[in-house]
Amino acid sequence: MKLILQIPCYNEAEQLPETLAALPRTVPGFDTVEILVIDDGSTDGTAEVAREAGVDHVVVLPHNEGLARAFSIGLEAGLMRGADVILNLDADNQYSAASIPALVAPIVAGEAQIVVGARPIGKIETFSPVKRTLQQLGSWVVRLLSGTDIPDAPSGFRAMTAEAATRLYVFSSYSYTLETIIQAGRLGIPMTWVPVEVNPPTRPSRLMKSMLGYILRSAVTIVRIFVLYNPLRFFTGLAAIAATPGIIVFVRFLLLYLDGEGQGHVQSLVIGGALLAVAAVTFVGGLIADLVAANRIVLTEIRARLLRDRVAEARRREAA
């Protein structure tokens, strides 16, 4: 079996050598271990540094497309290069390479198709209390939406089988971490987690430039994912919010009318009717969005089949 260690990079020429030097070239359960670097439009010579360090594969994107896009391109590149398992990690050496055998062990044992490395959030000294709380809250929301038990959803240290990689497609442009877990949960892909260790930080986080920005972008990402994968539930909730005061207004008018005081309260009917109309339109929008979501799942499966065919053809050419 072949394991490919995937590293998305953007201007990581300074940190990359240390990260690469720590990576193992042999991992229990695998015949081959290769390293794939995705240079996401770097301007500091990251690709050249990767080649000089002796990585097996380098994919260079013509311009910066963002972490989520680089991650997805890396998955396809790994599949086309014969990976049976792809392990993703950050270029800043955040995650301890010593945890790699433990991360892939459940896959080797056939217990899961995706394994997420859970950091010791409560013990990381560089995480402020606010950041720890936000990480735990975000993970709780993702567990709720995905039906999984992953305790560290934002962790980018994760391994997946080739089969799982063909079925995942990231729509978000900000980060792949939350969406892939929710998507895998919705698709019923077997998933688990293992505790992993981390190294001292080598640079500030590029995803969290400010606490407020991180909160806002994470909240928008979670809401967007919820709308993408649970549209009927989301829009039904909005419809209920609009319909509830509308019903209350109608009941109020009815009670006043029965008491002989309905005259002069016609505005209650107008307001109630408007709110119920908004609720009805919102609910219909939810039905339409649910149909679109169903089509998205079908398209994802079609893409997975086409990708499997491309991978099989690439392996046939390599064998020939």
Side-chain angles (χ1 to χ4, degrees):
M1 288 215 302
K2 179 187 287 189
L3 170 66
I4 288 187
L5 307 177
Q6 165 184 303
I7 311 175
C9 299
Y10 177 61
N11 289 339
E12 298 284 8
E14 184 176 347
Q15 289 81 21
L16 190 57
E18 181 181 1
T19 302
L20 294 174
L23 296 180
R25 278 299 189 169
T26 59
V27 175
F30 295 92
D31 304 309
T32 307
V33 178
E34 296 178 355
I35 301 173
L36 164 66
V37 167
I38 305 95
D39 182 353
D40 187 19
S42 298
T43 57
D44 67 345
T46 293
E48 289 73 17
V49 170
R51 293 189 182 99
E52 290 174 1
V55 304
D56 302 278
H57 314 286
V58 178
V59 175
V60 180
L61 307 186
H63 61 274
N64 180 243
E65 299 191 32
L67 177 59
R69 181 64 180 154
F71 170 80
S72 296
I73 291 174
L75 290 186
E76 291 197 19
L79 291 171
M80 297 302 292
R81 286 158 178 78
D84 295 293
V85 176
I86 300 173
L87 187 149
N88 184 84
L89 65 153
D90 292 349
D92 61 357
N93 201 32
Q94 174 187 173
Y95 304 104
S96 172
S99 296
I100 288 177
L103 191 64
V104 298
I107 292 178
V108 174
E111 298 170 355
Q113 291 188 22
I114 298 177
V115 184
V116 178
R119 298 165 292 180
I121 300 296
K123 299 180 180 179
I124 301 179
E125 297 179 357
T126 55
F127 279 17
S128 66
V130 174
K131 184 174 181 180
R132 291 174 185 171
T133 301
L134 290 174
Q135 294 275 17
Q136 293 167 352
L137 177 61
S139 296
W140 175 79
V141 172
V142 171
R143 288 197 299 273
L144 186 65
L145 296 179
S146 64
T148 64
D149 64 346
I150 307 300
D152 185 12
S155 171
F157 197 30
R158 54 186 63 191
M160 64 186 69
T161 64
E163 174 61 23
T166 60
R167 301 181 65 190
L168 296 179
Y169 184 81
V170 182
F171 294 93
S172 171
S173 59
Y174 178 54
S175 175
Y176 59 88
T177 55
L178 308 182
E179 183 173 351
T180 49
I181 291 177
I182 294 175
Q183 191 175 131
R186 296 273 292 175
L187 293 173
I189 299 175
M191 184 167 26
T192 189
W193 63 276
V194 297
V196 298
E197 297 300 322
V198 296
N199 298 316
T202 57
R203 59 163 174 76
S205 172
R206 291 175 178 170
L207 280 181
M208 194 176 71
K209 297 179 181 179
S210 70
M211 187 63 67
L212 179 60
Y214 178 76
I215 293 173
L216 292 177
R217 297 200 70 170
S218 296
V220 169
T221 298
I222 290 174
V223 171
R224 185 170 181 266
I225 293 171
F226 187 52
V227 174
L228 278 172
Y229 296 103
N230 291 279
L232 185 58
R233 189 173 166 188
F234 178 80
F235 284 103
T236 299
L238 291 182
I241 292 173
T244 300
I247 294 173
I248 292 173
V249 169
F250 265 118
V251 171
R252 174 180 178 272
F253 175 80
L254 180 60
L255 293 175
L256 291 172
Y257 179 80
L258 293 176
D259 286 342
E261 299 178 7
Q263 189 175 1
H265 294 281
V266 178
Q267 67 272 20
S268 296
L269 292 177
V270 176
I271 295 173
L275 289 172
L276 290 177
V278 169
V281 171
T282 303
F283 180 71
V284 171
L287 292 175
I288 296 173
D290 193 56
L291 293 175
V292 173
N295 286 334
R296 187 183 299 112
I297 292 175
V298 173
L299 290 174
T300 300
E301 290 299 326
I302 292 174
R303 173 187 172 275
R305 293 187 182 187
L306 292 174
L307 188 54
R308 289 190 196 101
D309 291 341
R310 288 175 53 202
V311 170
E313 180 61 27
R315 293 192 178 190
R316 282 195 293 270
R317 288 199 301 267
E318 184 178 349

